[in-house]
Each structure stands twice: as C-alpha cells, then as structure tokens.
Amino acid sequence: MSKLDKVVLAYSGGLDTSIILKWIKNNYGCDVVCMTADLGQGEEMDGIEEKALATGAVKAYVEDLREEFVRDYVFPMFRANALYEGRYLLGTAIARPLISKRMVEIAEIEGAQAVAHGATGKGNDQVRFELATMALNPRLKTIAPWREWDLKSRTDLINYAQENAIPVPVSRAKPWSIDANLLHTSFEGGELEDPWNAPGPDCYRNITPPEKCPDAPEEITIDFEAGDPIAVNSVKYSPAALLAKLNELGGRHGIGRVDMVENRFVGMKSRGVYETPGGTVLAMARRDLEGLTLDREVMHLRDSLVPRYAEMVYYGYWFSPEREALQAMIDKTQERVTGTVRLKLYKGNCVPLGRKSPFSLYNADLATFEEDVIYDQADAAGFIKLVGLRLKGRMQQSKWGGKDQEESCE
Amino acid sequence: MSKLDKVVLAYSGGLDTSIILKWIKNNYGCDVVCMTADLGQGEEMDGIEEKALATGAVKAYVEDLREEFVRDYVFPMFRANALYEGRYLLGTAIARPLISKRMVEIAEIEGAQAVAHGATGKGNDQVRFELATMALNPRLKTIAPWREWDLKSRTDLINYAQENAIPVPVSRAKPWSIDANLLHTSFEGGELEDPWNAPGPDCYRNITPPEKCPDAPEEITIDFEAGDPIAVNSVKYSPAALLAKLNELGGRHGIGRVDMVENRFVGMKSRGVYETPGGTVLAMARRDLEGLTLDREVMHLRDSLVPRYAEMVYYGYWFSPEREALQAMIDKTQERVTGTVRLKLYKGNCVPLGRKSPFSLYNADLATFEEDVIYDQADAAGFIKLVGLRLKGRMQQSKWGGKDQEESCE
Amino acid sequence: MSKLDKVVLAYSGGLDTSIILKWIKNNYGCDVVCMTADLGQGEEMDGIEEKALATGAVKAYVEDLREEFVRDYVFPMFRANALYEGRYLLGTAIARPLISKRMVEIAEIEGAQAVAHGATGKGNDQVRFELATMALNPRLKTIAPWREWDLKSRTDLINYAQENAIPVPVSRAKPWSIDANLLHTSFEGGELEDPWNAPGPDCYRNITPPEKCPDAPEEITIDFEAGDPIAVNSVKYSPAALLAKLNELGGRHGIGRVDMVENRFVGMKSRGVYETPGGTVLAMARRDLEGLTLDREVMHLRDSLVPRYAEMVYYGYWFSPEREALQAMIDKTQERVTGTVRLKLYKGNCVPLGRKSPFSLYNADLATFEEDVIYDQADAAGFIKLVGLRLKGRMQQSKWGGKDQEESCE
Amino acid sequence: MSKLDKVVLAYSGGLDTSIILKWIKNNYGCDVVCMTADLGQGEEMDGIEEKALATGAVKAYVEDLREEFVRDYVFPMFRANALYEGRYLLGTAIARPLISKRMVEIAEIEGAQAVAHGATGKGNDQVRFELATMALNPRLKTIAPWREWDLKSRTDLINYAQENAIPVPVSRAKPWSIDANLLHTSFEGGELEDPWNAPGPDCYRNITPPEKCPDAPEEITIDFEAGDPIAVNSVKYSPAALLAKLNELGGRHGIGRVDMVENRFVGMKSRGVYETPGGTVLAMARRDLEGLTLDREVMHLRDSLVPRYAEMVYYGYWFSPEREALQAMIDKTQERVTGTVRLKLYKGNCVPLGRKSPFSLYNADLATFEEDVIYDQADAAGFIKLVGLRLKGRMQQSKWGGKDQEESCE
C-alpha cells in the first residue's frame, strides 16, 4: 500500500467523527480534509468549519446538498415505489451514495488518496459508503476506523477524546442512535435492541404522536408531473422545499412512523424505528395516482421488481449498472404519472380522497354497472372460455377422460 | 349443446338473483337448485330456503362455509402476504372460488348440467366463478344471465320482476354496490364512479370513521403458529371466530379502509372502497412477525412473487396449477412464522409495539453497537471488497485504465 | 357499427388471401386495398400487385420492409435474449407487429375503416395482428374472415374459389403449414400434429440436415456494437443483409432447428418445427459476448425477465407500454456489449471459440490460479463469514441453542 | 478460539491435498481425519486410505456417494431446469454441498472441531464448502489452507512437499485445472485464461469431438416419472447408473460441451469449459417433455425463477431456506412430468423427435387447422377485445380523444 498523504473524512462535528479525525492523523500521519454535507438533517452548520479546523483538519468543506439529494436521489427512488421489506422507505440508505459522491469529488480536487467514514463494522452504512466509492473511483482507499482501531467501548472513546483534547459533551447518552436527513429520522440501538420493547414516548422527533395531533383533519392536494411531485396545495416548490413542506404537514398529523425488525446486508437482523412524514404522504399519493395512470401490466411488472430495486438501494448499490438499468425502466413507466391527488391527513392517517389526471386510463363509461355502448358484455364469454381453456385440460389429465372433456367444451 | 335439465344457482335472496332464478326457468325451461353460502356477510340466512322455493326453485341449499372460508382460503392467502396492486386485500376475490366449489359439488350431487351466477359481464367475479367451475368440473356449463338477457336497465329488471310476481323491495337504491363477507366489505359504482369524488360519510359499514373512534388506544396481542393466527389476547379461537374478533377490534378503532383505482382482469380500471378491519390488523401483525422469523432471502424472494400471487387470486386462478405450485413454496416459508405480536389500535392506526418468537432470527448480541465477541468487524472489510469487486471493473471499462485499476486494489 | 367503405388486407397472393379478398368484397360490399410485405420470406413479389388488382383489389401496396424488420424488430428483440419457453426464437411473432403497423399506416393514408388478416381463430397470429392494430389506432376495426365465414373445410374454400373465379393451384397440399421471413421458417399442422411423430425428411427448407452438411468446419467472426451485430468475418453489413449472411452460413452447416410443443396465448398447446439458422448463430454469439461484457447482476436480473419479455412478444404485445418499459431497461444493459466473437460452425453445432471486447470485464489477473497482487485471498474469509451469517441463525432456531451458536462464531 | 484437536479434511489423494494434510498437522498440531468421496469422478479409490494414513492421517474414510449424489442433488436440480447464466449445468457446484454434508457428519462422529478443504481463496468452491458447513453445523470451524499459508507459488508447494517427504508426481503440469464427477468435467485456468483462445484439441475427456463421432445417428428414448428419468431405451436404471448410461451415449456422440465466460460469486469473471454429456441429453429431454405436460403459467413462472435457483446452487446456498422453499414449488410443478421422449444423437446434436405422456396437455383436436367441435373460433374475438382493451386506453391518453376512442370500441 502506497503511503497516504491526505484523506477526506465525512465529518459531522460530533464526538465520534472528531475522535476519528484525530485518530486518522495520529495513526496514519496524514492530512485530513473534512466534508460535512447538509442533507436537511436539521443540525447547525454554522461553526462546523471552525470546529473541524480546530480539531486538526487542514481544510473543511461544508456542502449544501439538499436540492441534489431530493432531486437526484429521493425522487428517482420514489419513482420506483421503493420499499424495503414492505415497510422501510430507505431514508438512510438513499443519503449515503450522495455523501460518498461528494467525498470522491473532493478527494479528486484535493488530491487525496483515501476517504474515511464513521460507520461501524456491523451496519449497512459502511457498505453503502464503500461501494459508492469503489464504483466512482476504485483507486481511492477507504479508512473505516471503527473496523480498525482498538477503542472497544464508550469509555475507551471518551478517554481517547480527553487524551487528545477533544471536548466531550456533558449530555446524557441518548438511549438510541439517530440518523437524520430531509427524508427521514431513524432510531436504532439502546432500548430498542429488545424487539419486544415498545419505543418510549420520547422516541419521537419530527412526528407528533397521533394522540397529540390536531383534532381537525387537513385536506391537501399534491400535483405530479412524470412521477415527481411539483406542487402542494397548488403552490409549486423546489424538490427540497416540497419535501420539507410535506414533512411539516405529515409530521403535524402524526403520519409516517415505522417500527420493524429488518435484515441488514451484512447478514444480521436489526430493529429500527423510522420517521418519514413527508415521504409517507408522498408514497401514498404517488401510488394512488399510479392507480389512475399506470397500465396494469406495467404496474404489475414494476411491482414484482420493487423488492429487487429496494434491495439495491438498501445494500448500497446505487451507483451500479443494475440499478441504472432498472431505473431506465422505472423512469419509462412514469412518463404519464401526471395529475393531482387529494388526501386527508388526520392523526396518523393519510387517506386519498380523490385523484385526477390528463392521462387518466380510467373510463367511467367502461366501468359503470349501467348499460353502455362501448363494451360488449358478450365479449367476456369468449374471453373467459379462452383464459380458462388450459384449466380444463388439467382435469382431462385426471378423472375426466379425453372424450368427456371434449363434449364439455362446446 | 345438450339440453339442460337442472341448474345450480348462486342465490342471495335479493332482487337480482330472484329475477335470475325466474329468468333461467323461463328461458331454459329447466329446474333451478339454489345455493346460498354463508361466508359471514352478516345477512339473514333464515327464510332464504323458503324464499327460493317460493320463487320457483326445486330445492335450496343454505351452506355455512365460514370456517372453511377462513381456514382454507383466507389464511393460505394471508400466508402469501397477498396484496393486489399494493393495497387491496382481495376480500371479494378470495370468496368466489369457494362458492363455485360448493356449487360444483351440489351440481354433482343433484345431477345438474350447469351452474349460474349473478355477476355482470364487466367485472372480475364472472371470471372467478367460471374459471373455478372450469377447473373443478369442465363438463359443467355456466349460465351468466347478465351476459345473455336483454334486460338493459334497472327499469327493465323491475318490470321483469313485476311481470313474474317477484316482490320488489321499496328501499331507495343504494348509491353503490356492496359485496360482503367475513374478510371484507366492498363498495363500488354509483357516486364512487368519479375517482375524484371522495366517498360520502355513509360509505361505512363495519369500520368506525377514525374521527368517531374511542379516544383511548387499545393494545392487543396476536399469537401465530406456522403463519396462521391462533389466538387474540391469549384466547384461542377457531379461524372464523378469530377473524370475527379482529374485525370487531379493528372496526372499532377505524382500521382497514382502502380507496383505490384498480385494474380489472377484463381490461378496464375501476374504483373501489374496501373495509377490511380484521384482515388489515392481521396482515400488519403477520408482516411484523415475519421480520423477526423469516430469513432475508426467503422474504425477498417471496416479496418478489407477491404481485404474481395476488394477480392469480384477483383474476380467479385459485384452482390452478400455478397457484398451487406457488402456495407450496409459500407454505414452506411459513413453517417457523410462530410467535406473538403486540399492537396498538388507535383511530385508524395499527402499530406494532413488539414481537417475539421461539424461532426468532434476531440476535441482539450481533446487532448491538456495543463490543461483542460473536461478530468480527474486520470480516466486513473482506466482505465489502468482494461484494464491490465487480463495480470496480466497470470503471476499468472507462476512464480508469487496467493498470490504474490494479494498483488501486491492494 | 358504422358502414365500412374501405378495408386494408394483408395479402400474400396465395389462395387463402385471394379468397379472403373476394369474400370481404362480397360480404361487406366495400373496397379492398391490398398490402403485401416483403420480410424476406423468399417469395416472388413481382406480379403481386397485378394479381391483387385482378382479384378485385382497388389498390395494392407491395412494401419492402426487410431492413426495418431486422433493425427495429429483430435486433431489439435479440438484445433481450428473448426465447419463448426456452427454445423458440419468436420468428413469426416478431413479424406480425410490423405488418400491422404498415397496414395501419396505409389505412390512415387510404381512409380505410378496417384492416383484415388471414389468420385463423385458433392461433396466435390473429391476436398479434389485432393487438397491434388496437394499440396503434383503436378506431380501426379488424376483419378476421376465418372467425366470421362459414367455409368450414378445404373443400368449402376450393368451391368458393371456383365460384368466384379464383385460380386454384394444382399442387398437392403441403403436409404442414409454413410461415417464413428473414428470421425463420416455421412448420405446423399436418403430420406434425402428432407430437410423437418425427418430422419427415422433407420438412427442411433453409437448413441443410446435419447429415448432409459439409465435412469441414467453418470458423467465422461476428462483430457487435452495443448489442447489435454489425459485421461478419470483418465485413460490415446492413441489418437485413447481415441476417441473410448468417442465414446462409448457419443454414449451410445445419444450425438452428427446433422441434417443440409450445403453449399458445389462446390457451392450447401446439407443436411447431422452426428453422432459424442465422438467428441461432446470432443468439449464441451474443450470449457469449455478454459473458465477457455484462455485469453479473445486470445479467441475472435481465435473465429473470426474459420469460416475461418473450411472452410479451409471443402474445402480441409488441406495441405495449410494458414491452417498451422493459425494452428501455434491456437497451440500457447493452451499451457496452461491444466486441468480437469467433465461432465454429459444423454439422448442426455452433460453438464459440473465443471472444474479446474493448469493454471486457474479464481480468485474467484476478481469475488466475497463480499468485497475484490485486486480490487478497484473505478477504474471502470475511466475505464468506458474512454471506453465511444468516444460515447460522437458522440452526440457532433448532438444535443449536443460542449459547452454542454464539460460541461457534468466533 | 478454542484449541483444535481434530480436523476432517476433504482429501483427494493428489499432491495438493497431501500437502494440506501435512500443513494442517504441522501448523495446527492436530489430528487429521481424511474423507474421500466417490462421486463418479473416475479416479482410483483403491489405495486412497493407505495413502492418507501414510501421509499422516489418523483415519481415512472413503465414501461411495454416487447414488446419493445423483438422486438427492443432481435430479432435484434438474427438476428446476437449472442453468447458470444460460449455459452452465452446475456440475461442480452441485457436488460441493454433498461433500460438505458428509464431512460434517464425519466430524460429528469423530468429535472433530473443524473441517478443511483444498479450495483456493479466489473461487466459488471455498464458498460452497463453507456455506454448507455453516448451515449444517455452525459450531464447526473451517480451515482453508490456501487462504492461510504463505506458499505462494507452485515452487513453494513442491518445496514444501519435498521437505515433508510427500511424493511429487513427475507428470508435466496440466495446462488447466480439472474437476470431475458423474455429472460433468470442468476445465479452467492455464491456456484457457485468455478468453479469446480456443481450447486445444486435447481439452476433451469424456466427450468425443463431433468431428470424430460415429457417422450413424443413434435414436434413444428416455422415460420420466414425476420429473426424474427412470429408464433409457426402456431399461430401468438406478439414478447413478442412468446418468452413467447417458454419459456414455452423449459422450459417444459429442454432446454437451460448453465454453463460456461466467461470473463467480466472489465478484470476478472466469472462463470455463465444461463437458456434461449425460446432463445435456437429460436437460433437453426433460425440457421437451415439459412442453407436453406442464401448464403454461406454471412453466413461465418457473422459467422466471430459474436464474435465481441456479444462482443459489452456483453460489453455494444448497442448504438454505430459500433453496428449500423454491424446491418445494419446483417439485410441485413436476408431479405430472411423466412420459417418454425420443431423441436423435448425432455429432454434437441432441434432437427431440417425439414425446408422449399419459398426462399430456396437448390436444390435437384443439390445435388442428381443420374444423372441430371443441373450440369455437368466435370466442377468440371476445378474448382479443378484452386482452387488448387496456391498449386502446393508452392511445386515448394521447392523440385519440376520449370521444373518438369510445366510438371506436363498438
């Protein structure tokens, strides 16, 4: 391995990545460039640069990636109706590739030979960061201190911080680990590690518990164009602003919490609690509009591929030829998913009330119970005879002899 | 076509099937045997036999099929996590094969040459009834009066009834068409035909609107064995009784309404509103327990086949070799989906709070953020290198030359 | 139904479509415009126009569609590696949409209200013609005389011809029915209707029986660009000319016959014998080059969708949103399927001997058994531990207790 | 890690596993029990036990696993029509789980704490051996000397052998690496590492090159019962004897060679040449009989899962819940794949000539071009109208307005 001169570190400004910054300097004897991405996690970005420099970084980038995040990552993923294991809207998974992409770009600008992250050796995030890096620039090395160092406990970490003059916050340890961005907030670990335990009442961050939500329902509309939302209540928003607006609306009405045991890519199960207020409203509205505008076979084909697409995102294969190939199909399906959905938000419920589209495939004249001139009900008899023909043959194999079977077919 | 002597009719006792009864007698000049199935639709079965005979039937069967329905149709379908187009729990679709099966059995007992049903020529039910019949006894003919007669409007029907001395109820026409059984109630047609219209406040039958639900949440447990529910709040129930109990609980708390535009097998879109209170609670609890007990690859494989399975049920291919083959796989996956889920029911929300199982695949020692002795985080480095190896090759194809690529891999 | 003034008929010049021409005129009392497509079936096109006019057509189009056929239909389908039921290269199915498209265009030019075809009511071709027409111009009606008239036997047809002064060829009836174009020749019916019967020695048209092939093998190369063949033995050809060249080569060496029982879309099984000499060579070469240039996950994902894609083509859904969506994915996968394959042709065998590509993903340094510096074999240990981790948990559920299991994991 | 007292080694008697035997003794200081499996690889088993003991084993098992191999591994896999990347019949992959299973059983009998194998750190076999072991007994450790030792070259190995008194054969190094069993022989490495190189004329072991095959074709029959072959030319054989018979027949006629670049599970591509004479004949015959006996939807559903099933076997997930779940479906599909296929074998060609079955779903009366009484061609009109209805709606979205569309549907 050639010597490392410079490393780009994904830096949050918290205790862990501050320790990592120092540890890399101490251990590798190289310069550390910090990169902090604003993905809408709601944390203070002011002062991050100074803090990084004070902790020993040679340079610190603070990047506002919110619009790119929603436009180029969240929305394409939603076009696929992606849902991991039937419930998880992939809020953490979808953020990692963008962070890696920016780190790779900065490494190329800065002439760094490696990137570093603060993900542990047990989770999915390490894989997501590193697969993205391998895909975008296979010459870059990755440093993953949690897999390398011998700091084995919280106490070890705090000792290391104190020895290295890193300020340790006095706050009580949180009973779980949090990850947040514009799409979601996740809670893992601590008291949640027993899957029989219900999350405590303070395991809420962006969603009002249904019991405390407003008593009045709120009705909203969302306008879509080619599968992406463009307006809420007829007001147009940029992608990031739109998602923020839906977060506000969904969160106020208690919508979008999931509590589940899921399967990590590294082979173990873990338990997570997720808050995805805006994303949940968006997913429901999109699915509903698809009912009106997607062809049946397109929808069923796509639905059969959702688990595979979600797996790609969850595992960290965003920058992969298979995700891009599947995305080409997905995007093709969305060309006419254009229209308006109205929904009622109320104490955890997000209920579609109506939907309309200039590309509606719904034809009330066809579906009506009343007489019509378009559809000849007699056609159904021929249809049924032929779609069922092969089923008759099956009985022919057994108790009904060939001769009987023939007689029955007239 | 050989002459028909006797026909078995799926008879509800309502106006439509009474007219059909007469029409078959008049038109085909044959005997009509009526069959009324109790699937928990909540209608009065007393007096049905007398009514059928009074309307001209030579014989009338009234069959309590509730336990068979839930045990042999609803539960196997739920084992597959079946959901049509992401939302519909298939409440009507799953009832049709059983009704047909019983009609075929009665036709064989009675020596009838045909079965008859009251489904129109535009919907899915005609297909479901007839495919089941073709699969079970291809020698039986089906009579579908709605596709055959020249009664073109409500007025025609009422005139026909009056001419044939069939009592016409004086009730106001419902603004929609209803189908009900132990699993669900569906609303279609009428004011729902405009997909932009929200269902009116009286389009509720078994579910309390969330706004009118109790203010106190209710916590329940459901016990499962090999994928099927066996107890609620630790009280064991038969399949039908258990589903009825969950209907009561879910309905009281406003759970299980769906409003969607869906794709019929006959090629058109239609709009339906469904109430599936107990089924929705059951599906949520099952999915949650699967999170704890199903292997990842088994779950992802199964999930990719759910759209296909749901399609089979929705289209009417219950008695088909493909459904049976897929069911064999599904049932194999469920052998260890055993355990208990606790859920909170509250104003439309059904939220899992915890889950446990003697076959849990969750290992808190593996998932913990704390130090452990089981899992060596260093293994993850090798894992990531190999699961990402093929991504590196891709860049090798483009800007990174072979030589560079090799250097980067040490 | 509004009155028909003018109909566009797919006209081959043979007895059947000549009778159909007359029958439409007699029966519908409308003008008939004939359209004959040259798809490389190897029949004489000279004189077709005169013959059509002599038989009563008001106008006759003779269209050379060979290049369009291969470029826009055959090649896109081959990009998908499409194979119906594992063996059939879809030679008839892929021709029908193009014929329909041209008929629809001519109907629009001519102001016709309908198109007509000579396919029977039992086969797939009627569906393919009519679905394409419905998709391209739903206002056009289709006339399918075989489903409409009362000519029930060969004798009826010949009588009808004689009554209408249509010349009847004196040739002995062929023992099967043939369809041909640049991609393939199919044989169906007659002596082939018994699936236990082997095809007779004269059931060959474009392929030399292996027993009569040259004793010397022939080695060829095919160059590909983005999934499509562009040159044979380093000589560039247009799409149609290239396929013709491969037909010549493959046919000479006995390559590309299939004899199978297949499932028609209309619900029955049929037996077909197919000759696809060039297509078979092409498919083998393409598949082989994909081995070198396609990413593993892309290939496996695509392979799982081949049966669905082939079904779409076989059933007649070429002009459908689902085929177009899937094609978008397929085409994306082929961007780097560029390179050269060399093959040996010999008495029915088409054997790849070697393959190379500027986009090769094969890295001999990685795959070698010899020592290398790129790949650290120790990584495999971590890889295996994590890809197998979930399998350990399974035993944990049964005979191995949790404690034991943990001990075993160090 | 607890100390190892005893290890079970997969021992072939060749140089490599002899060195491994010594190396484990030297390095781990533990007893080594050898296990040699006879899977029909055609090598001498006599004297293996003595050789193992002479090289330092405390005990040596020589196990004839041929019948178990074919009956419980090869045949179930063939029932699935498994084919990896469209061509590879998985001959090596399917042998590994059985070898591991026997090693695990012997380890339990002998009280060993580990198993050991001679697979390198770059291939698939290490994964297959170790996943099977992890699945069957997660408490067993695996020793993989190729990943552990510092013998980096052929010279190192030979030096080690000489230092440890292991006899080194004087034979010239083969230009490739071979693996063999009753199902196949594989060739990898050496001159094959350049994928543009054709295999040399001596890269044949069990298949006669087509150029040297008999000039007379040979016609054979194979009888099947529930998906498995039971007789050749009407003579019943045990599973292993039947496969040996087909190997003899296929090999004599040059059938069953594949030359391909494939994707390994560990992330790289490799080039392999395979000889699978009997397996190729068997696969062709089975596929052909399925044409006659499998329902269309069952076949298409199964076909879409073949890539996934093949992946499971290739990657080493034979003993996994997902393979077992999928096998349950596969086996269900095969219940009526019973009958006889006759084939012609000739210079590399394996051509089905006819097929018959007591469970045939083929009905010549349905498929005939002649008049019949079973199938009403008019039914096809209704069928086509409804299967195409949704395609009309699509044009309704664009150039054809709603009104036009309706008019066109009468």
Side-chain angles (χ1 to χ4, degrees), chain B residues 295 336 359 385 390 397, chain C residues 295 336 359 379 390 397:
Chain B
D295 174 83
R336 292 182 180 185
F359 299 127
K385 278 192 185 169
R390 66 185 176 84
Q397 283 186 340
Chain C
D295 174 83
R336 292 182 181 185
F359 299 127
D379 289 337
R390 65 185 176 84
Q397 283 185 338

Side-chain angles (χ1 to χ4, degrees), chain B residues 252-368:
Chain B
R252 182 193 305 157
H253 291 286
I255 293 158
R257 272 176 69 88
V258 167
D259 174 347
M260 68 189 282
V261 174
E262 77 199 36
N263 293 290
R264 289 190 188 154
F265 187 25
V266 291
M268 68 188 66
K269 287 183 182 287
S270 70
R271 193 259 192 101
V273 172
Y274 303 106
E275 293 188 345
T276 321
T280 302
V281 173
L282 178 54
M284 171 56 90
R286 269 190 38 77
R287 164 72 69 190
D288 195 69
L289 184 59
E290 285 189 349
L292 197 66
T293 55
L294 268 199
D295 174 83
R296 183 186 74 201
E297 295 303 312
V298 169
M299 183 188 284
H300 293 196
L301 173 62
R302 193 273 318 270
D303 284 353
S304 74
L305 293 167
V306 164
R308 187 74 185 87
Y309 183 97
E311 202 180 72
M312 291 174 194
V313 177
Y314 186 86
Y315 289 3
Y317 290 101
W318 182 261
F319 297 116
S320 72
E322 66 270 25
R323 206 275 309 170
E324 291 169 14
L326 197 43
Q327 191 76 49
M329 189 190 97
I330 296 296
D331 290 354
K332 183 80 184 163
T333 68
Q334 298 294 305
E335 289 173 352
R336 292 182 180 185
V337 180
T338 293
T340 302
V341 178
R342 60 190 181 113
L343 307 117
K344 186 175 78 172
L345 313 182
Y346 174 70
K347 290 186 194 289
N349 298 275
C350 174
V351 181
L353 297 176
R355 65 293 289 171
K356 63 183 178 185
S357 168
F359 299 127
S360 172
L361 289 166
Y362 177 88
N363 184 333
D365 292 329
L366 275 176
T368 184

Side-chain angles (χ1 to χ4, degrees), chain A residues 161-341:
Chain A
Q162 288 170 340
E163 287 160 18
N164 286 276
I166 298 167
V168 177
V170 294
S171 67
R172 189 176 62 84
K174 291 168 296 184
W176 43 65
S177 159
I178 283 185
D179 176 67
N181 59 47
L182 252 180
L183 181 54
H184 97 332
T185 302
S186 70
F187 306 84
E188 283 192 317
E191 67 178 35
L192 298 174
E193 284 188 2
D194 178 349
W196 182 249
N197 271 0
D202 51 343
C203 179
Y204 278 87
R205 204 170 117 161
N206 296 312
I207 293 182
T208 309
E211 290 85 345
K212 300 181 181 168
C213 288
D215 286 327
E218 183 164 2
E219 193 178 316
I220 66 168
T221 62
I222 307 180
D223 297 336
F224 289 86
E225 207 170 271
D228 291 337
I230 54 166
V232 176
N233 291 331
S234 303
V235 179
K236 294 211 172 192
Y237 293 93
S238 72
L242 188 142
L243 187 52
K245 179 68 185 172
L246 291 182
N247 279 335
E248 176 205 324
L249 290 166
R252 182 193 304 155
H253 292 287
I255 293 159
R257 271 176 69 88
V258 167
D259 174 346
M260 67 190 283
V261 173
E262 76 200 36
N263 292 290
R264 289 189 188 156
F265 188 25
V266 291
M268 67 188 67
K269 287 182 183 287
S270 70
R271 194 262 191 99
V273 172
Y274 303 106
E275 292 188 346
T276 321
T280 302
V281 173
L282 179 53
M284 172 56 89
R286 269 190 39 75
R287 165 65 78 185
D288 195 68
L289 185 58
E290 286 190 348
L292 198 66
T293 56
L294 268 199
D295 173 83
R296 182 185 75 201
E297 294 304 311
V298 169
M299 183 188 283
H300 294 195
L301 173 62
R302 193 274 316 272
D303 284 354
S304 74
L305 293 166
V306 165
R308 186 74 185 84
Y309 182 98
E311 201 179 73
M312 291 174 193
V313 177
Y314 186 87
Y315 289 2
Y317 290 101
W318 181 262
F319 297 117
S320 72
E322 65 270 26
R323 206 275 308 169
E324 291 169 14
L326 196 43
Q327 191 76 51
M329 189 191 97
I330 295 295
D331 289 354
K332 183 80 185 162
T333 67
Q334 298 293 305
E335 289 174 354
R336 292 182 180 185
V337 180
T338 293
T340 303
V341 178

Side-chain angles (χ1 to χ4, degrees), chain C residues 157-310:
Chain C
L157 279 181
I158 288 170
N159 290 342
Y160 191 90
Q162 289 169 340
E163 287 160 17
N164 287 275
I166 298 167
V168 176
V170 293
S171 66
R172 192 175 59 83
K174 290 168 295 182
W176 43 63
S177 158
I178 284 186
D179 176 67
N181 59 47
L182 253 180
L183 180 55
H184 96 333
T185 301
S186 69
F187 306 84
E188 281 192 317
E191 67 178 34
L192 298 174
E193 284 186 2
D194 178 348
W196 182 249
N197 271 0
D202 52 343
C203 179
Y204 278 88
R205 206 170 115 160
N206 296 311
I207 294 182
T208 308
E211 290 84 345
K212 300 182 181 168
C213 287
D215 285 328
E218 183 165 1
E219 193 177 317
I220 65 168
T221 62
I222 307 179
D223 296 337
F224 289 87
E225 206 169 272
D228 291 337
I230 53 166
V232 175
N233 292 331
S234 302
V235 180
K236 294 212 172 191
Y237 293 93
S238 73
L242 189 141
L243 187 51
K245 179 68 184 171
L246 292 182
N247 279 334
E248 176 205 325
L249 290 166
R252 181 192 307 157
H253 291 287
I255 294 158
R257 272 176 68 89
V258 167
D259 173 348
M260 68 190 283
V261 174
E262 77 198 36
N263 292 290
R264 289 191 188 152
F265 187 24
V266 291
M268 68 188 67
K269 287 183 182 288
S270 69
R271 194 261 191 100
V273 172
Y274 302 106
E275 293 188 344
T276 321
T280 302
V281 173
L282 179 53
M284 172 55 89
R286 270 190 39 75
R287 165 66 74 187
D288 195 69
L289 184 60
E290 286 189 349
L292 198 66
T293 56
L294 268 198
D295 174 83
R296 182 185 75 201
E297 294 303 311
V298 169
M299 182 188 285
H300 294 197
L301 174 61
R302 193 273 317 271
D303 285 352
S304 74
L305 292 167
V306 165
R308 187 73 185 87
Y309 183 97

Side-chain angles (χ1 to χ4, degrees), chain D residues 242-354:
Chain D
L242 189 142
L243 187 52
K245 178 70 185 171
L246 291 181
N247 279 335
E248 176 205 325
L249 290 166
R252 181 193 306 158
H253 291 286
I255 294 158
R257 272 176 69 90
V258 167
D259 173 347
M260 67 189 284
V261 174
E262 77 199 36
N263 293 289
R264 290 190 188 155
F265 187 25
V266 292
M268 66 188 67
K269 287 184 183 290
S270 70
R271 194 260 192 100
V273 172
Y274 303 106
E275 293 188 345
T276 322
T280 302
V281 173
L282 178 54
M284 171 57 88
R286 268 190 40 74
R287 163 71 68 191
D288 195 69
L289 184 60
E290 286 190 349
L292 197 66
T293 55
L294 268 198
D295 174 83
R296 182 184 76 200
E297 294 303 311
V298 169
M299 182 189 284
H300 295 196
L301 174 60
R302 194 274 317 271
D303 284 353
S304 74
L305 293 167
V306 164
R308 186 75 186 85
Y309 183 98
E311 201 180 74
M312 291 173 193
V313 177
Y314 186 88
Y315 289 2
Y317 289 101
W318 181 261
F319 298 116
S320 72
E322 64 271 26
R323 206 275 308 170
E324 291 168 14
L326 197 43
Q327 191 76 50
M329 190 191 97
I330 295 296
D331 290 353
K332 184 80 186 162
T333 68
Q334 299 294 305
E335 289 173 353
R336 292 183 181 185
V337 180
T338 294
T340 302
V341 179
R342 58 188 183 115
L343 307 117
K344 187 175 77 171
L345 314 183
Y346 175 70
K347 291 186 193 288
N349 298 275
C350 174
V351 181
L353 298 176

